[in-house]
Amino acid sequence: MELNFGTNSLDNFCSDQDGLSLKPLRCPAPFLLKTYDLLEEGSEEKDGIKIVSWNEEGNGFVVWSPAEFSELILPRYFKHNNFSSFIRQLNTYGFKKTSSKIWEFKHEKFQKGCRHMLVEINRKKCEPSVFPQYLKSCSEENAMTSSSVEESINNHEILMEENKNLKKERLELQMQIAECKALEMKLLDCLSQYMDTSQNKVRRL
């Protein structure tokens, strides 16, 4: 009896050197593919201002405008608009924020034109230590402290950015409320003038 698997069923498998077994091919994480695609599709801009793009070297990317990135880009690719969540995802895959002045992120396997390297990026695994706390070496404790400090700094920057965005939204809402109040006053004035005119006409009759 002849078995016909078809070519499509073999696309996701590769054989070992002896040709005796088939192994599934690894695929990059969807998060990495979407992040790479949004950069490869071209620098996103709004009103001539960059939103997100590769850096000049192509070994990292920069979110130039977190507010517009959250509003326009994230919903298109990730179905949410939470910039903090996006950064947490980057952290879980080992990306590093490289500057305190701009939102630039790098990973040695995440580079422009090197989509094939995405499969080599693995999600961090948090494995509990088999040693009691008091047996941990000083170097390990220092490393943990340094990591905690770096994470705290990143979280602080994220909160500061979100606070800035909230202040901006509050100011816009206040301006809209002021415009509505001004329009309301104009309408009341027009209504008052109309009533006065109508009453004068009635008196003349």
Side-chain angles (χ1 to χ4, degrees):
M1 181 177 63
E2 180 180 357
L3 295 177
N4 182 15
F5 293 101
T7 56
N8 292 336
S9 62
L10 297 178
D11 286 343
N12 294 329
F13 293 87
C14 60
S15 60
D16 60 14
Q17 294 180 350
D18 298 329
L20 299 178
S21 63
L22 294 176
K23 299 178 182 179
L25 290 172
R26 290 177 57 196
C27 295
F31 172 79
L32 299 174
L33 289 172
K34 291 178 181 179
T35 303
Y36 189 87
D37 287 341
L38 73 87
L39 292 165
E40 285 292 279
E41 288 177 4
S43 299
E44 297 286 349
E45 295 186 4
K46 179 183 179 183
D47 300 330
I49 301 175
K50 280 187 178 181
I51 298 178
V52 60
S53 68
W54 291 103
N55 61 11
E56 293 183 358
E57 296 80 11
N59 60 356
F61 68 95
V62 182
V63 179
W64 301 101
S65 179
E68 280 75 16
F69 182 76
S70 300
E71 179 184 354
L72 303 175
I73 309 302
L74 288 181
R76 192 193 311 170
Y77 289 90
F78 301 100
K79 297 182 180 179
H80 70 80
N81 61 352
N82 193 325
F83 187 54
S84 302
S85 176
F86 176 76
I87 293 177
R88 283 195 294 270
Q89 282 279 69
L90 290 176
N91 289 336
T92 61
Y93 286 99
F95 283 78
K96 298 296 182 181
K97 187 172 183 294
T98 60
S99 173
S100 60
K101 296 181 180 180
I102 59 175
W103 294 93
E104 181 178 35
F105 303 93
K106 289 184 179 181
H107 190 291
E108 59 180 2
K109 301 295 184 180
F110 192 89
Q111 299 184 19
K112 184 177 182 180
C114 299
R115 186 186 179 93
H116 62 281
M117 294 174 61
L118 297 181
V119 72
E120 301 178 33
I121 302 178
N122 298 314
R123 191 183 184 93
K124 288 182 180 179
K125 294 182 179 180
C126 297
E127 299 180 355
S129 174
V130 296
F131 297 100
Q133 183 68 28
Y134 60 86
L135 291 180
K136 289 185 177 180
S137 65
C138 294
S139 60
E140 183 180 355
E141 291 180 357
N142 290 336
M144 292 177 62
T145 302
S146 176
S147 177
S148 299
V149 170
E150 182 180 354
E151 184 176 356
S152 298
I153 293 174
N154 286 338
N155 289 337
H156 176 71
E157 291 177 349
I158 293 170
L159 291 174
M160 291 295 290
E161 185 65 28
E162 289 185 345
N163 186 42
K164 179 181 177 181
N165 292 336
L166 288 174
K167 286 183 178 179
K168 180 181 177 182
E169 292 177 1
R170 179 185 176 186
L171 180 60
E172 291 175 351
L173 288 173
Q174 288 176 339
M175 293 176 63
Q176 291 177 5
I177 292 172
E179 291 175 357
C180 289
K181 287 184 177 179
L183 180 60
E184 180 184 10
M185 293 300 296
K186 288 182 179 180
L187 290 174
L188 290 174
D189 287 341
C190 291
L191 181 60
S192 177
Q193 292 176 8
Y194 175 78
M195 293 297 293
D196 290 342
T197 303
S198 299
Q199 289 177 0
N200 290 334
K201 288 182 178 180
V202 171
R203 288 173 184 174
R204 290 175 184 176
L205 294 175

